[in-house]
Amino acid sequence: MASDSQIEINENSYKIPDFTRNSSSQRSISSIQSIQSKTSVREVGFSSELGSKPIKYGSRGADSRGLSTSYKEINDEDARLVYVNDPVRTNDKFELAGNSIRTAKYSILTFLPRNLFEQFHRVAYIYFLVIAILNQLPQLAVFGREASILPLAFVLFVTAVKDAYEDYRRHRSDKIENNRLAWVLSNEKFEQKKWKNICVGEIIKVSGNETLPCDMVLLSTSDATGVAYVQTTNLDGESNLKTRYAKQETQMRNPQEEKISGLIKCENPIGIYMLKNTDWAIGVAVYAGKETKAMLNNSGAPSKRSRLESRMNREIIYLSIFLVTLCTIVCICHGVWLRRHNDELDLMQFYRKKDYSEPEVENYEYYGWGMEIFFVFLMSVIVFQVMIPISLYISMELVRVGQAYFMIRDKRMFDESSNSSFQCRALNINEDLGQIKYVFSDKTGTLTENKMEFQCASIGGVDYDNGKASTEDDRIGHSIQADGMVLKPKMTVKLDSELLNLSKRKHTDDGRHVRDFFMALAACNTIVPLTVETSDPAVKLIEYQGESPDEQALVYAAATYGFMLIERTSGHIVIDIQGERQRFNVLGLHEFDSERKRMSVILGCPDNTVKLFVKGADTSMFSVIDKSSNSNMVKATEAHLNSYSSKGLRTLVIGMRELSASEFEQWQSSYESASTAVMGRAGLLRKVANNIENHLNSLGASGIEDKLQQGVPEAIESLRMAGIKVWVLTGDKQETAISIGYSSKLLTISDATRGGPGLELLFELASRCTVVLCCRVAPLQKAGIVALIKHRTDDMTLAIGDGANDVSMIQKADVGIGISGQEGRQAVMASDFAMGQFRFLVPLLLVHGHWNYQRMSYMILYNFYRNAVFVLVLFWYVLFTSFTLTTAITDWSSVLYSVIYTSLPTIVVGVLDKDLSRATLLKYPQLYGAGQRSESYNGKLFWVMILDTLWQSVVAFFVPFLAYWESDVDGSSLGDLWTIAVVVMVNIHLAMDVIRWYWITHAAIWGSIIATFICVMIIDAVPILPGYWAFFHIADTKLFWVCLLGITVGALVPHFAVKFVQYYRPNNIQIAREAEKFGNSRESPDAQIEMNPIFDPPHRSGG
Amino acid sequence: MSSGDGSSEPSSKISKISKKPRYSRFTQQELPACKPILTPGLVITILISLAIIFIPIGLSSISASENVVELVDRYDDVCIPSNSSNHDEKIGFIQDAATNKTCFRTWIVPKKMNHPIFVYYQLDNFYQNHRRYVKSRSDHQLWSPKSERATKLCEPEAQNDDDKPIVPCGLIAWSLFNDTYRFSRNDDAIEINKKDIAWGSDRTKKFGSDVYPKNFQTRGLIGGAKLNESIPLSQQEDLIVWMRTAALPSFRKLYGRIETDLEANDKITIEIQNNYNTYSFNGRKKLVISTTTWIGGKNDFLGRMYMTVGGTSLFFAIAFSILFVIKPR
């Protein structure tokens, strides 16, 4: 939490002693004190140079979280003391981390213990372990030692290999990172040093475009005012530039010439990441290695549990109850048996309770009736352990990896424009994508491209819609020539020639109005101009970097009309006004905040006037615009604004006011006191801004187009046809939202817009609508709406967004999707899946989601069945062994059953099988409903499956039982028959359900059956095992094969019948499958979509 | 601090490689596939082919079972003095080594029996698959004289009173069946061939030819047969057969083979030495002679099952055919 407030740029306050035009005032600007808000660098004592008087700084700047205090005292105990340029002393007192980073988790020595420790955090593994330990007790040794440990060892081994490989890759990247070079001051000159050897306290010099090796406090930069621009792409993905300021006391010093020493007490580091637009910067390392922000920020992907898995866990509880029931039956029967034969036990040849080997006749391994029953219970838990399909968890993980692979590699979800492929950040909710009922979408940047383009302006009550008159030839734009160089803005907008002409008339009223308008566009922002080389050495492009795409669009527009922002430093801006370069002192800047919804800048103009320029949202602006002076114009502007927003344009209103000297001084003093206040600075600064931002003259309004992303209308239509309710949550005003709604086919029939209801009614109405547009929604309200649906309904929700304001919504929803677009990576970081374009939602949900859900559902049911059928076969046998947990099936086969005999086919089918082709799924979005209605996994299917399992186990057990009754068959041979029969049966069962047979499927299914035969042969070829050669004897008889065929067919008859019923009473998927195979001879899925009335909720003020 | 992601560096921006996934039919999940689908035609075909396979197999196994001639005679209840009606008296009788336990039974052969005729003894209610019992053996000891002390699992029949290992140890060997049968027809003895009644694999790989019985049945409680200590285990075929523990609580064990044909209405006299104690656990003993066919002994179950499955398939095949004609979907 701390980190993201740290990277926000805080407003910088300036102490302006006077504002004279002469250049000597530039010097005074260099005494600006500015410090990043969160770094409570309190005392920087420069004993040698500056005398002993410590200078006190307070951290300043509006706190984004609105905390009342942004200034924190740091206790000496908590504080980190960094002695500048004295790493030895710095590291002496504190055990500070070296700069060597380590993302790898293990070393060769620690790998085994640590990896095992981490693996055993899973319940499944603990279950395995407990069973294995139980089995080691002599009284309970049901399986051989080796056999009982094998499954656990196998799973641990596979996971350990995977972890080791991942860690090896981390080791490699750590090594590269640690051995990069940086310039570090030592013995009064900068020398190259490996990153890993940098210590806290050392002075480091970083050149432009270099990455910083650690978190530093800036001492000086190439810029005279001590500004450094940094890019934080690596931290939060935001590619725009941020400014950081050097300590003024150190700015003018050259550490190579003058020795700097000092003490920095700090709590939070100033992380700066990649130096941009600045030739060099010198700083002190304060946080290194694992304490850097990048490392602290390096948190893992979010973990959610899929709905299917939650449902599955419920069924696993049923299975546990079933398991306990079986064990109870066995132990009660055993108890009864012991009681009834109590007199016979002593001599009974197969029991022999008495041990006559000692003179004193004792009971041999008999612990009394109660204990015997208890042991039998525990033993039956060991024997029937696979009833709880622990291997299923591992299979599910493997299948999800496979599904993620296909999603990532899907070329249809690759975004060419941003060169980004689909990302699976959460690996455990793939199947949720097939059950989505609600999609909550952000608008800007998600439905739209977030590439703002200036479209039109209303200036002085006149609408200049430059779309109407312009042709391509007009788009030459403005360029300026200086020192033989041509400077051009990187992007131009369409020019309105009338407006261009008007802007050149300096002396008419209209002309002045237009010029002020463009001045405001060029000046009232926080844009940083960058000069970019082109292939032509004589031409340079000016690129505008900033945090708001709207501001960029406005500055580009101003530049096109000849008001080109050329330079920005902390104290002034340079604007080229139609060839004339002018310097304006930036006297004050009130940054945008969501309460005021506007920003303003106070400029000291070359003609000695002081002007306040304000731009902001219409609602906030019209309240501070002086309507009395020119009410007609304001009315006209308002009318234009409405027409802009109904065209889907984003609007901003611009106003200005000239400040008198007294007004300015009053402002200055209150601003100064507010900005140095210790408590509640943000609120005070807002108050100062509110005081000055009034009685404005309206200059006009701008309309910016935010283009819809490619394919958005079609995507929304598909989603709606799939029965997904699409809610768009936007901060835009109602008209803009509705117009975007129409253009994106979200709205097709307009209904009355209603107003007024609270949350209850909102839910009532909105849940009946297929489409809901919520406008003027604050970020937290977005999450609130998602939470509302999640709590009130049982439906799955998906949130998609691209910006930091969508993070809460993305985290709240069942599935969060981040658009890796322009607005940085916070949304992506919080998301479960990330992709480049909104339209990829269609293949993601309708195709991959459907497949994932259908595959995973089937796999879970099949795994339940597969294990239960085996357990039941064991159970039936136990009933004929006087309830003593003997297994005819060998230990090894019991153990290998879920590892080798039957595991691979279900994984292959879980990864590869497709019930329908991509084309069909996209053509008939209604097919998505199968997942929404949980058609592939539900209670009914589970119980039907249990019945089928019972039947199959009865057939598999009793056919050999009756066929070999009163024969001379031995236990091992019959056990082999049961083993083979069950394996063949469950694999054929799977084969009957496979929809698409790839060669891999064939290989897995038939290969597993063959592997089983081979394993059984190998086990029976070990002379020391009791079952030696049994398989070869029994397989030599025809009876064996007749039994096998009889079991397979007899057991699968009901399954076949159910499949046939499915044919006779087809669901949508069955129909679509047949249509796919035989063409459209049959009726196509019901393509009707219900059009529910569209409801546009009123904006909910307050929240 | 950079995260080490090289792609964010400006230098690599120039040589930015497209991350676009390489297209292959596998990654796009478009591998060629066969997609069978259940249609009425397919269903009827499957059902008819099932009927075609199952009915003949069923018929032939029923006829095979019919051809098996099997004679079963329970003798544990008749081969004891008629006065010993209660449980303890029966046990007293069987445990008394001095009593003469010879018993004569007479059978009439109902049908001609071609040789080889298999002689089995059958035990009912004898749990050779009891956990205590199946574990009580030492396969190491059976194979190698070096492992004669490997008797850990054999308790309480591991060592004799002098702590010498019992070979073969364990409950299974200890409880070796010891009733004997002598067949005669019209006072001519019918020879019972007891050679090769055990599995060859057991004789050559499991029971050592240099392992001789030692200290066997020397203690107070005698479980069953004694073994000739001069014959190696690999030739003690009755033991080998016995130690292939049965799967189910009613089981037969091969006693020997009669290598001559028995004619219908032959009168066969059997002299039984009724030694084995099944009275202590209410077990039953039966003597069985039977011919075999490809399906094994007499067992109608499989044939009936196959007939049922085949018949049902045929019925549904016809029913569905009619259904599809009358009322297609």
Side-chain angles (χ1 to χ4, degrees):
Chain A
M1 274 296 105
S3 58
D4 70 346
S5 59
Q6 279 158 7
I7 53 171
E8 286 192 14
I9 293 182
N10 299 283
E11 45 188 274
N12 309 293
S13 52
Y14 309 101
K15 284 180 179 173
I16 311 293
D18 56 4
F19 53 99
T20 49
R21 293 179 56 188
N22 70 49
S23 59
S24 69
S25 70
Q26 298 309 312
R27 288 285 130 231
S28 63
I29 293 168
S30 66
S31 69
I32 290 163
Q33 303 171 2
S34 103
I35 276 175
Q36 289 304 302
S37 68
K38 284 298 197 135
T39 314
S40 308
V41 178
R42 268 214 304 151
E43 289 175 38
V44 184
F46 293 85
S47 49
S48 55
E49 261 78 29
L50 298 167
S52 57
K53 195 182 168 202
I55 303 153
K56 205 162 188 174
Y57 294 94
S59 65
R60 59 176 63 170
D63 191 302
S64 60
R65 300 255 172 269
L67 297 171
S68 56
T69 54
S70 54
Y71 177 80
K72 258 196 267 175
E73 283 287 342
I74 301 170
N75 295 330
D76 277 359
E77 302 90 70
D78 305 339
R80 153 172 297 220
L81 298 170
V82 178
Y83 297 91
V84 178
N85 202 16
D86 195 351
V88 181
R89 199 169 155 207
T90 308
N91 291 288
D92 195 30
K93 276 194 190 163
F94 297 90
E95 284 285 318
L96 298 179
N99 198 38
S100 133
I101 58 151
R102 208 178 135 77
T103 53
K105 277 199 225 158
Y106 315 109
S107 71
I108 290 173
L109 275 179
T110 61
F111 179 76
L112 206 60
R114 272 200 69 174
N115 184 260
L116 283 179
F117 179 74
E118 275 176 25
Q119 289 201 39
F120 277 113
H121 272 85
R122 290 170 163 157
V123 181
Y125 289 14
I126 305 244
Y127 177 83
F128 264 133
L129 185 69
V130 168
I131 298 272
I133 289 172
L134 275 182
N135 191 66
Q136 304 309 309
L137 301 176
Q139 291 85 6
L140 303 178
V142 183
F143 294 141
R145 292 247 152 108
E146 305 82 9
S148 66
I149 293 179
L150 181 95
L152 183 60
F154 176 77
V155 169
L156 289 176
F157 177 75
V158 169
T159 320
V161 166
K162 191 193 92 197
D163 290 349
Y165 175 68
E166 283 175 1
D167 211 49
Y168 166 72
R169 287 177 44 171
R170 281 194 289 263
H171 268 291
R172 256 194 348 202
S173 74
D174 284 356
K175 201 172 167 188
I176 293 168
E177 197 73 4
N178 283 332
N179 288 329
R180 287 165 75 167
L181 296 172
W183 293 95
V184 174
L185 185 71
S186 85
N187 301 327
E188 282 158 39
K189 59 178 191 282
F190 286 104
E191 285 175 355
Q192 281 205 321
K193 207 171 176 182
K194 282 182 179 172
W195 278 22
K196 63 179 173 192
N197 297 328
I198 292 171
C199 301
V200 173
E202 281 181 328
I203 292 180
I204 299 158
K205 181 175 179 177
V206 185
S207 309
N209 291 338
E210 270 183 13
T211 310
L212 300 193
C214 58
D215 292 356
M216 321 181 359
V217 168
L218 261 190
L219 294 179
S220 62
T221 72
S222 56
D223 186 281
T225 54
V227 177
Y229 295 96
V230 294
Q231 202 178 35
T232 54
T233 319
N234 281 334
L235 191 65
D236 56 9
E238 296 181 23
S239 57
N240 48 48
L241 294 189
K242 292 171 181 172
T243 37
R244 293 290 183 268
Y245 297 88
K247 303 280 150 294
Q248 292 310 312
E249 285 65 36
T250 55
Q251 169 59 27
M252 305 317 291
R253 317 203 174 262
N254 184 341
Q256 272 169 283
E257 294 155 12
E258 309 168 53
K259 200 167 154 53
I260 297 179
S261 67
L263 173 65
I264 301 176
K265 241 189 213 180
C266 52
E267 184 185 41
N268 291 309
I270 312 165
I272 54 178
Y273 311 96
M274 189 192 283
L275 201 58
K276 285 272 191 180
N277 210 28
T278 310
D279 290 342
W280 53 263
I282 291 173
V284 187
V286 288
Y287 285 87
K290 63 173 192 286
E291 297 174 333
T292 55
K293 221 185 287 176
M295 296 296 289
L296 294 173
N297 242 18
N298 209 341
S299 60
S303 91
K304 288 178 182 169
R305 178 175 285 175
S306 78
R307 157 153 314 186
L308 197 55
E309 202 175 327
S310 314
R311 290 261 162 90
M312 178 189 96
N313 287 337
R314 190 182 63 197
E315 259 79 65
I316 286 205
I317 292 173
Y318 293 147
L319 288 177
S320 313
I321 296 170
F322 194 39
L323 169 66
V324 171
T325 313
L326 292 186
C327 297
T328 313
I329 291 172
V330 171
C331 78
I332 288 175
C333 289
H334 185 72
V336 171
W337 188 87
L338 280 180
R339 262 289 139 89
R340 283 182 53 194
H341 297 264
N342 201 18
D343 306 336
E344 306 162 6
L345 294 179
D346 294 357
L347 293 178
M348 199 183 255
Q349 280 92 330
F350 50 87
Y351 199 93
R352 257 299 289 279
K353 191 168 93 179
K354 294 277 188 251
D355 185 357
Y356 295 93
S357 58
E358 306 295 323
E360 197 86 349
V361 176
E362 283 172 353
N363 285 345
Y364 168 70
E365 280 196 7
Y366 184 81
Y367 307 91
W369 190 65
M371 282 309 274
E372 285 295 309
I373 293 174
F374 178 63
F375 284 148
V376 163
F377 183 84
L378 287 183
M379 272 154 70
S380 49
V381 174
I382 297 173
V383 172
F384 303 147
Q385 58 175 302
V386 289
M387 178 61 97
I388 313 292
I390 294 304
S391 59
L392 175 58
Y393 288 97
I394 293 118
S395 308
M396 278 169 81
E397 259 174 56
L398 288 172
V399 166
R400 281 175 181 147
V401 168
Q403 293 177 341
Y405 172 82
F406 283 126
M407 287 194 278
I408 292 165
R409 300 298 294 264
D410 190 342
K411 65 169 183 174
R412 291 169 188 85
M413 293 204 291
F414 178 82
D415 185 21
E416 304 265 4
S417 59
S418 63
N419 194 28
S420 62
S421 54
F422 184 81
Q423 287 178 50
C424 265
R425 293 175 39 79
L427 261 184
N428 40 7
I429 55 168
N430 290 350
E431 57 274 13
D432 275 353
L433 291 172
Q435 295 191 280
I436 301 297
K437 197 86 205 236
Y438 284 90
V439 166
F440 297 94
S441 174
D442 174 42
K443 188 182 77 69
T444 311
T446 306
L447 298 181
T448 63
E449 283 182 345
N450 204 16
K451 277 180 187 153
M452 306 297 171
E453 198 168 310
F454 180 84
Q455 280 296 331
C456 48
S458 156
I459 303 170
V462 185
D463 182 11
Y464 299 96
D465 189 349
N466 48 8
K468 62 191 173 195
S470 69
T471 62
E472 277 303 302
D473 300 340
D474 294 331
R475 297 191 68 146
I476 309 151
H478 184 72
S479 64
I480 50 171
Q481 300 198 340
D483 313 328
M485 301 286 270
V486 178
L487 271 176
K488 275 184 178 170
K490 196 180 172 195
M491 286 193 292
T492 54
V493 299
K494 289 180 280 183
L495 273 175
D496 188 307
S497 45
E498 192 188 340
L499 188 61
L500 185 65
N501 290 336
L502 209 57
S503 71
K504 284 175 180 160
R505 287 183 217 143
K506 286 182 195 177
H507 303 295
T508 64
D509 263 6
D510 281 352
R512 255 205 306 278
H513 211 105
V514 169
R515 287 170 74 90
D516 280 342
F517 181 82
F518 283 118
M519 254 309 288
L521 295 193
C524 185
N525 53 53
T526 53
I527 295 291
V528 180
L530 291 183
T531 315
V532 187
E533 309 269 339
T534 59
S535 50
D536 182 358
V539 180
K540 282 189 176 172
L541 289 181
I542 288 205
E543 188 185 332
Y544 293 121
Q545 283 273 0
E547 282 163 71
S548 150
D550 294 82
E551 283 189 351
Q552 284 177 354
L554 293 178
V555 179
Y556 279 122
T560 316
Y561 283 97
F563 293 75
M564 200 187 286
L565 178 68
I566 291 181
E567 191 184 327
R568 171 185 292 274
T569 63
S570 47
H572 68 263
I573 52 175
V574 175
I575 298 177
D576 184 291
I577 300 175
Q578 288 165 347
E580 188 185 337
R581 218 171 257 223
Q582 294 195 17
R583 178 192 289 269
F584 299 85
N585 289 326
V586 179
L587 305 175
L589 186 122
H590 299 283
E591 284 208 351
F592 181 86
D593 68 55
S594 51
E595 225 165 278
R596 276 161 51 236
K597 290 192 177 142
R598 55 181 180 257
M599 73 159 293
S600 57
V601 59
I602 298 175
L603 290 187
C605 299
D607 59 359
N608 256 346
T609 55
V610 178
K611 282 178 181 160
L612 169 75
F613 291 98
V614 189
K615 76 169 196 301
D618 47 0
T619 46
S620 85
M621 286 299 287
F622 282 123
S623 64
V624 294
I625 278 176
D626 183 9
K627 287 176 194 155
S628 57
S629 61
N630 203 344
S631 61
N632 282 345
M633 191 193 97
V634 173
K635 266 186 197 144
T637 311
E638 268 182 90
H640 293 150
L641 275 173
N642 282 337
S643 85
Y644 290 171
S645 55
S646 58
K647 275 189 268 177
L649 301 180
R650 295 159 72 89
T651 54
L652 282 171
V653 176
I654 290 133
M656 71 160 285
R657 180 154 73 100
E658 206 163 312
L659 300 181
S660 66
S662 64
E663 256 182 317
F664 175 68
E665 269 161 36
Q666 201 189 334
W667 168 82
Q668 198 180 8
S669 65
S670 56
Y671 184 79
E672 240 173 85
S673 62
S675 57
T676 51
V678 172
M679 306 287 282
R681 184 179 306 123
L684 287 172
L685 282 171
R686 196 177 302 133
K687 215 167 156 190
V688 172
N690 273 331
N691 282 339
I692 193 88
E693 290 163 354
N694 53 34
H695 300 295
L696 302 173
N697 300 320
S698 166
L699 285 176
S702 64
I704 297 168
E705 188 186 16
D706 188 4
K707 275 196 186 141
L708 272 185
Q709 278 183 16
Q710 196 192 340
V712 165
E714 294 80 1
I716 289 185
E717 200 170 4
S718 284
L719 294 179
R720 291 185 58 185
M721 279 169 72
I724 298 171
K725 299 181 177 182
V726 183
W727 290 35
V728 173
L729 314 178
T730 172
D732 280 341
K733 56 186 293 191
Q734 197 166 307
E735 290 78 14
T736 314
I738 290 175
S739 129
I740 286 284
Y742 280 115
S743 60
S744 60
K745 290 202 185 170
L746 192 60
L747 304 183
T748 41
I749 308 165
S750 94
D751 196 19
T753 317
R754 291 170 225 189
L759 219 57
E760 292 292 322
L761 197 55
L762 172 78
F763 172 74
E764 282 289 309
L765 285 167
S767 57
R768 291 198 208 121
C769 305
T770 52
V771 164
V772 175
L773 250 167
C774 300
C775 26
R776 309 225 181 224
V777 189
L780 272 178
Q781 285 176 318
K782 289 185 179 180
I785 292 169
V786 175
L788 179 77
I789 296 300
K790 262 182 86 175
H791 292 146
R792 297 300 181 83
T793 68
D794 205 24
D795 298 331
M796 296 286 291
T797 55
L798 177 146
I800 179 167
D802 71 324
N805 59 343
D806 305 315
V807 167
S808 57
M809 164 172 95
I810 286 172
Q811 284 171 335
K812 194 90 204 170
D814 295 303
V815 178
I817 295 186
I819 297 278
S820 42
Q822 307 243 306
E823 275 196 42
R825 293 182 56 82
Q826 270 130 318
V828 172
M829 291 304 205
S831 68
D832 305 307
F833 303 95
M835 54 196 193
Q837 300 270 331
F838 179 82
R839 72 188 141 98
F840 296 160
L841 210 52
V842 174
L844 179 66
L845 296 184
L846 301 194
V847 180
H848 288 284
H850 178 92
W851 285 341
N852 290 348
Y853 169 72
Q854 174 263 333
R855 288 166 177 171
M856 193 61 87
S857 308
Y858 180 73
M859 194 180 84
I860 293 171
L861 279 177
Y862 177 77
N863 273 265
F864 285 166
Y865 146 79
R866 181 194 77 173
N867 286 17
V869 89
F870 187 73
V871 167
L872 282 168
V873 167
L874 294 175
F875 173 76
W876 302 129
Y877 186 64
V878 164
L879 298 185
F880 296 94
T881 64
S882 71
F883 321 103
T884 54
L885 282 316
T886 318
T887 54
I889 296 170
T890 60
D891 300 358
W892 287 99
S893 286
S894 296
V895 160
L896 295 178
Y897 176 75
S898 51
V899 179
I900 293 180
Y901 297 175
T902 57
S903 64
L904 196 61
T906 159
I907 292 172
V908 167
V909 171
V911 175
L912 290 181
D913 201 27
K914 304 194 289 187
D915 57 346
L916 291 168
S917 72
R918 179 192 291 271
T920 310
L921 288 169
L922 288 175
K923 194 173 168 198
Y924 304 112
Q926 297 87 342
L927 293 168
Y928 188 74
Q932 293 170 332
R933 293 186 294 270
S934 297
E935 274 179 13
S936 304
Y937 186 91
N938 51 44
K940 190 181 142 210
L941 281 177
F942 175 78
W943 292 111
V944 166
M945 180 276 294
I946 290 284
L947 286 180
D948 192 21
T949 306
L950 274 172
W951 166 256
Q952 295 196 17
S953 72
V954 165
V955 171
F957 177 78
F958 284 99
V959 166
F961 178 86
L962 292 170
Y964 284 95
W965 183 251
E966 293 190 326
S967 76
D968 62 340
V969 75
D970 65 300
S972 309
S973 303
L974 204 54
D976 288 342
L977 172 54
W978 276 319
T979 310
I980 301 271
V982 171
V983 170
V984 170
M985 184 178 78
V986 300
N987 276 307
I988 302 276
H989 179 110
L990 181 70
M992 284 169 72
D993 290 339
V994 169
I995 292 159
R996 259 158 228 254
W997 285 89
Y998 306 99
W999 66 265
I1000 310 173
T1001 323
H1002 280 290
I1005 291 180
W1006 313 125
S1008 285
I1009 293 178
I1010 291 166
T1012 308
F1013 273 97
I1014 292 170
C1015 285
V1016 169
M1017 285 181 203
I1018 291 171
I1019 293 167
D1020 277 359
V1022 180
I1024 220 65
L1025 293 179
Y1028 176 64
W1029 225 246
F1031 176 75
F1032 301 96
H1033 281 280
I1034 194 167
D1036 202 26
T1037 62
K1038 293 190 186 73
L1039 188 57
F1040 173 86
W1041 299 100
V1042 172
C1043 275
L1044 198 58
L1045 179 65
I1047 292 167
T1048 314
V1049 172
L1052 295 173
V1053 161
H1055 189 61
F1056 187 72
V1058 167
K1059 293 194 88 61
F1060 188 65
V1061 170
Q1062 272 172 9
Y1063 167 80
Y1064 226 71
R1065 306 181 66 182
N1067 57 11
N1068 283 354
I1069 289 180
Q1070 175 73 20
I1071 295 168
R1073 271 182 67 196
E1074 287 175 25
E1076 210 171 80
K1077 175 126 179 163
F1078 304 112
N1080 274 329
S1081 55
R1082 287 236 173 79
E1083 72 267 41
S1084 57
D1086 182 20
Q1088 239 180 353
I1089 314 154
E1090 205 129 306
M1091 295 295 265
N1092 289 343
I1094 286 128
F1095 166 60
D1096 185 61
H1099 64 264
R1100 299 181 296 125
S1101 53
Chain B
M1 172 146 258
S2 91
S3 66
D5 180 6
S7 64
S8 60
E9 291 199 31
S11 58
S12 63
K13 236 176 219 166
I14 303 153
S15 59
K16 205 169 193 175
I17 318 143
S18 170
K19 285 188 276 183
K20 185 172 173 116
R22 290 238 321 272
Y23 173 77
S24 77
R25 298 191 70 157
F26 177 71
T27 60
Q28 302 309 309
Q29 307 193 55
E30 283 165 5
L31 285 179
C34 158
K35 27 181 189 177
I37 198 161
L38 221 50
T39 59
L42 189 62
V43 169
I44 291 166
T45 315
I46 290 172
L47 288 174
I48 287 177
S49 37
L50 281 181
I52 289 173
I53 296 167
F54 272 62
I55 291 175
I57 297 179
L59 285 174
S60 74
S61 52
I62 284 178
S63 84
S65 177
E66 289 297 316
N67 287 333
V68 170
V69 186
E70 185 186 78
L71 288 173
V72 183
D73 183 33
R74 178 175 173 191
Y75 63 88
D76 63 287
D77 49 348
V78 291
C79 287
I80 45 166
S82 49
N83 56 359
S84 54
S85 53
N86 79 31
H87 191 71
D88 291 340
E89 278 170 356
K90 285 179 189 169
I91 293 173
F93 162 78
I94 203 85
Q95 282 184 334
D96 185 354
T99 347
N100 178 15
K101 299 198 183 75
T102 311
C103 170
F104 289 96
R105 305 286 297 156
T106 311
W107 294 353
I108 307 288
V109 177
K111 251 163 98 181
K112 181 172 193 242
M113 296 174 84
N114 292 323
H115 77 278
I117 301 163
F118 293 86
V119 180
Y120 301 97
Y121 52 91
Q122 178 174 338
L123 293 176
D124 289 345
N125 205 21
F126 187 106
Y127 286 88
Q128 255 205 331
N129 55 18
H130 195 286
R131 165 160 294 278
R132 274 172 91 97
Y133 187 80
V134 287
K135 296 260 162 192
S136 189
R137 61 189 286 158
S138 167
D139 290 293
H140 288 92
Q141 192 200 45
L142 295 175
W143 174 240
S144 161
K146 287 180 213 135
S147 309
E148 72 175 27
R149 290 226 155 248
T151 58
K152 213 177 97 205
L153 294 168
C154 292
E155 292 290 355
E157 286 295 327
Q159 282 137 14
N160 70 0
D161 299 335
D162 310 328
D163 280 345
K164 295 244 176 69
I166 297 170
V167 182
C169 71
L171 287 184
I172 306 181
W174 171 77
S175 61
L176 177 59
F177 189 75
N178 59 353
D179 285 4
T180 56
Y181 315 104
R182 282 163 65 182
F183 285 68
S184 56
R185 178 169 50 180
N186 308 328
D187 297 334
D188 295 338
I190 303 173
E191 200 192 332
I192 300 177
N193 182 4
K194 288 180 74 76
K195 269 258 168 266
D196 290 348
I197 56 172
W199 290 0
S201 57
D202 279 353
R203 278 179 278 140
T204 52
K205 287 278 167 55
K206 207 155 173 59
F207 290 79
S209 54
D210 50 354
V211 182
Y212 293 88
K214 274 182 201 163
N215 310 316
F216 189 68
Q217 302 283 28
T218 55
R219 303 225 315 253
L221 192 66
I222 307 290
K226 301 190 174 177
L227 293 175
N228 185 341
E229 299 206 350
S230 59
I231 300 174
L233 291 188
S234 61
Q235 289 171 35
Q236 306 266 12
E237 294 207 37
D238 279 325
L239 176 76
I240 297 174
V241 168
W242 182 253
M243 290 197 71
R244 276 256 148 231
T245 51
L248 302 168
S250 272
F251 61 89
R252 290 173 184 178
K253 295 260 174 214
L254 189 56
Y255 181 79
R257 276 185 299 268
I258 296 172
E259 304 281 12
T260 54
D261 294 349
L262 297 180
E263 301 300 328
N265 299 319
D266 273 359
K267 191 174 164 191
I268 296 173
T269 310
I270 304 131
E271 183 191 332
I272 299 171
Q273 292 300 321
N274 182 18
N275 297 324
Y276 199 69
N277 182 0
T278 51
Y279 305 102
S280 63
F281 56 89
N282 290 320
R284 286 182 295 276
K285 290 192 283 194
K286 287 171 187 165
L287 177 63
V288 180
I289 61 170
S290 171
T291 57
T292 61
T293 57
W294 65 269
I295 196 173
K298 197 168 190 66
N299 191 330
D300 288 345
F301 168 75
L302 266 184
R304 289 192 196 138
M305 189 195 97
Y306 267 72
M307 289 305 288
T308 314
V309 172
T312 320
S313 302
L314 195 61
F315 170 78
F316 278 108
I318 295 165
F320 286 152
S321 310
I322 294 167
L323 189 70
F324 288 131
V325 173
I326 297 169
K327 187 176 171 270
R329 184 172 76 179

